[in-house]
Amino acid sequence: MVELNTSYNVLLGRLSLNLLGAIMSTPHLAMKFPSPTSDIITMLVNQKTTRECYVASLRIEPIGQTTTRIEERVSKRSHMVAVAELVPRLEEVRVEPKEETQCVPLMGEDKVTKIGTSLSKEDANQLSRILQTNVDAFAWTAANMPSIDPTIIAHRLSTLKDSKSVAQKKRKLGEEKRMAAREEAGMLLQARFIREVHYTTRLANVVLVKKPNGKWRMCTNYTDLNKACPKDSYPLSSIDRLVRAVKHRYMSFLDAFSGYNQISMHPSDVAKTAFMTDNANYAYKVMSFDLKNAGATYQRLINKIFKGLIGRGVEIYVDDMVVKSASCSQHIQDLNQVFQELKAVGMCLNPNKCVFGVEGGKFLGFMLTNRGIKANLDKCQTIMEMQSPKNIKDVQHLVGRVVALSRFMPKMAERIKPILSLLRKVSQFKWNEQCEEAFA
């Protein structure tokens, strides 16, 4: 028994169904079982009732947690959307395993990583040994992170010949932001990610964005530089294919340590990345995530490293990596091969963001399990907490979030048809009762 809030009146397990002699049909939402008088009892449920029950269960807060005001969540979420185009990846928890994890020491008590608690003692010991053997594939600070050999790959900026070199006008920063920018530049300089430059024809401003933890992230406004660079149309993997392919008993979610920063800039393009701070001008010696084709360059590197493993024991989308295996012994072999490929090019993982040997977790916005994919409850909760749209932009946000869950919602296009019709009449926004009914 568990102490849990739920909207269901009765939860029947396999034992109860066997005692009843019940036969269920999920396509027909029906259950039949014999009565004591030898009659056949049929229980029917319609889709509307089932859906309402499921939605109600999502609204219930777990015991021991206090509810947060919807207005505060919406306000916070709108702030996140406002900076989403500027910051490709905010400081979030990239890997969220669906089970409890335990720490495994790799080198001393303070240098650890995580493994799943569902592993048997023997499997956990084998996995721990393979991680400790390949401890040189991890990095805890930028100081002990070797950069990838530029002969393997280096990021180039193929600027258009007729493009103009733009030096942006310096923007004023508040005292708090100015100190944060100076501190961040000092850390980048100490990590040898940047160097001071003089007499540069291209110059960009820095933009400070608040992280969820209250600290500041320093981004660079490369708008003018990115406009001068043609798009690198390197093919990316299909997200639908990736999430369908990850359906195994053992999974490990990997995260590179400042992955983009492990790739060097081509020497001839370093000066083009110049940016200004309060006390000096600097340029990136490594690839910054603010650059236009950084994702394509990273994907090209990953495909080169794991060309023999992708689709067999590894699935990767840019910097999201998962190792999948049907058995623990095979999983250890796959992990060992991944570590050898990473060490061959000098790429390092972040042990604090890696999780090994779990039964499932969050990958590309979906919840992966050994049975397949499930809807991300965080996304469901976001839609449920939305207020009724007041303009076309709100409708676009709503439709985008609903489409992300379309595979889990039958007849979704038919159900939100009144809302979709508003997008065809941008100049005539009118939220009527039909739209409200579809939204509810």
Side-chain angles (χ1 to χ4, degrees):
M1 296 182 63
V2 293
E3 186 181 8
L4 181 69
N5 283 330
T6 176
S7 62
Y8 299 93
N9 295 321
V10 179
L11 295 174
L12 297 178
R14 293 180 182 177
L15 181 61
S16 300
L17 295 175
N18 292 338
L19 291 174
L20 288 172
I23 297 176
M24 299 185 63
S25 174
T26 52
H28 300 92
L29 292 178
M31 182 176 73
K32 292 187 176 184
F33 57 94
S35 69
T37 59
S38 300
D39 296 327
I40 301 299
I41 300 175
T42 303
M43 296 181 63
L44 298 174
V45 179
N46 58 44
Q47 287 192 1
K48 182 178 180 181
T49 304
T50 305
R51 194 177 303 114
E52 288 176 351
C53 197
Y54 172 68
V55 171
S57 68
L58 293 177
R59 289 196 177 99
I60 296 176
E61 292 285 343
I63 292 177
Q65 294 186 3
T66 56
T67 57
T68 307
R69 295 185 61 187
I70 292 177
E71 291 80 2
E72 294 177 355
R73 293 183 181 178
V74 172
S75 174
K76 181 179 180 181
R77 194 164 56 251
S78 62
H79 168 71
M80 298 282 284
V81 172
V83 301
E85 297 180 357
L86 190 62
V87 187
R89 201 178 93 198
L90 290 174
E91 200 71 21
E92 76 234 2
V93 179
R94 298 286 309 288
V95 177
E96 291 185 15
K98 76 183 192 84
E99 63 184 82
E100 295 294 328
T101 59
Q102 58 183 340
C103 292
V104 173
L106 298 180
M107 193 168 58
E109 296 183 357
D110 57 333
K111 296 182 178 180
V112 299
T113 191
K114 301 182 184 71
I115 65 172
T117 55
S118 61
L119 296 169
S120 65
K121 187 175 181 179
E122 182 181 355
D123 291 343
N125 290 335
Q126 291 180 358
L127 182 57
S128 299
R129 281 196 295 270
I130 197 68
L131 295 175
Q132 292 165 355
T133 303
N134 295 278
V135 67
D136 51 340
F138 297 91
W140 281 266
T141 62
N144 55 25
M145 180 186 71
S147 60
I148 297 171
D149 189 347
T151 59
I152 297 175
I153 195 169
H155 188 62
R156 300 215 54 168
L157 299 175
S158 301
T159 53
L160 301 172
K161 292 183 179 179
D162 57 347
S163 64
K164 295 182 179 180
S165 299
V166 178
Q168 298 177 0
K169 184 179 179 181
K170 186 175 181 179
R171 296 178 56 185
K172 294 182 179 179
L173 299 175
E175 182 64 22
E176 184 181 0
K177 291 184 178 181
R178 188 172 61 83
M179 296 303 296
R182 179 179 294 183
E183 182 181 354
E184 183 71 16
M187 290 190 295
L188 293 173
L189 197 61
Q190 186 178 3
R192 300 188 297 277
F193 286 175
I194 62 175
R195 65 175 174 85
E196 191 172 352
V197 292
H198 307 278
Y199 308 110
T200 178
T201 56
R202 294 183 184 271
L203 205 55
N205 279 289
V206 295
V207 181
L208 278 298
V209 181
K210 202 88 166 183
K211 297 180 184 179
N213 61 7
K215 297 183 180 180
W216 292 98
R217 176 191 287 276
M218 188 179 76
C219 307
T220 310
N221 183 11
Y222 284 131
T223 304
D224 299 302
L225 177 60
N226 289 338
K227 286 180 180 178
C229 296
K231 180 179 175 60
D232 183 0
S233 301
Y234 188 80
L236 300 177
S237 301
S238 169
I239 293 180
D240 287 341
R241 184 196 68 79
L242 290 178
V243 296
R244 285 197 301 266
V246 183
K247 186 181 178 181
H248 289 71
R249 168 66 177 82
Y250 295 91
M251 290 181 248
S252 292
F253 297 88
L254 312 182
D255 195 302
F257 190 97
S258 298
Y260 284 19
N261 297 146
Q262 296 191 44
I263 300 176
S264 300
M265 289 293 302
H266 193 275
S268 62
D269 294 323
V270 170
K272 297 177 183 177
T273 65
F275 63 93
M276 66 185 88
T277 63
D278 189 54
N279 57 341
N281 295 335
Y282 301 97
Y284 275 96
K285 297 163 60 179
V286 297
M287 184 176 70
S288 169
F289 64 82
D290 298 304
L291 296 173
K292 185 175 185 178
N293 297 312
T297 300
Y298 194 86
Q299 184 72 52
R300 185 179 285 109
L301 169 67
I302 292 298
N303 289 349
K304 184 181 294 187
I305 296 175
F306 301 108
K307 60 182 178 181
L309 296 175
I310 292 177
R312 183 171 62 86
V314 179
E315 298 295 346
I316 302 176
Y317 186 85
V318 192
D319 55 348
D320 288 291
M321 299 182 282
V322 58
V323 182
K324 54 179 187 177
S325 308
S327 65
C328 186
S329 59
Q330 182 62 43
H331 194 60
I332 290 174
Q333 293 179 19
D334 291 339
L335 282 174
N336 187 56
Q337 195 168 357
V338 167
F339 289 140
Q340 300 310 315
E341 298 293 345
L342 289 172
K343 290 190 289 186
V345 299
M347 192 172 191
C348 292
L349 299 175
N350 187 340
N352 297 321
K353 294 186 179 181
C354 293
V355 182
F356 299 91
V358 294
E359 294 183 344
K362 192 179 292 184
F363 181 65
L364 299 176
F366 295 96
M367 290 302 299
L368 304 185
T369 67
N370 54 358
R371 296 185 177 182
I373 61 173
K374 295 182 179 180
N376 188 341
L377 294 184
D378 292 338
K379 293 184 177 181
C380 298
Q381 193 72 19
T382 299
I383 295 175
M384 291 166 50
E385 292 176 353
M386 287 186 67
Q387 298 176 348
S388 299
K390 295 180 174 56
N391 50 51
I392 289 295
K393 198 166 187 67
D394 291 345
V395 174
Q396 292 172 342
H397 288 164
L398 172 62
V399 172
R401 290 165 179 169
V402 171
V403 168
L405 298 171
S406 59
R407 67 170 65 236
F408 307 103
M409 302 171 63
K411 300 181 181 180
M412 184 271 294
E414 181 180 341
R415 292 168 55 191
I416 65 170
K417 191 174 181 180
I419 299 176
L420 293 175
S421 64
L422 296 176
L423 299 177
R424 303 190 189 100
K425 304 175 182 179
V426 179
S427 59
Q428 299 177 357
F429 175 80
K430 186 177 180 181
W431 186 263
N432 52 32
E433 292 183 1
Q434 292 180 336
C435 296
E436 186 63 33
E437 184 179 351
F439 176 68

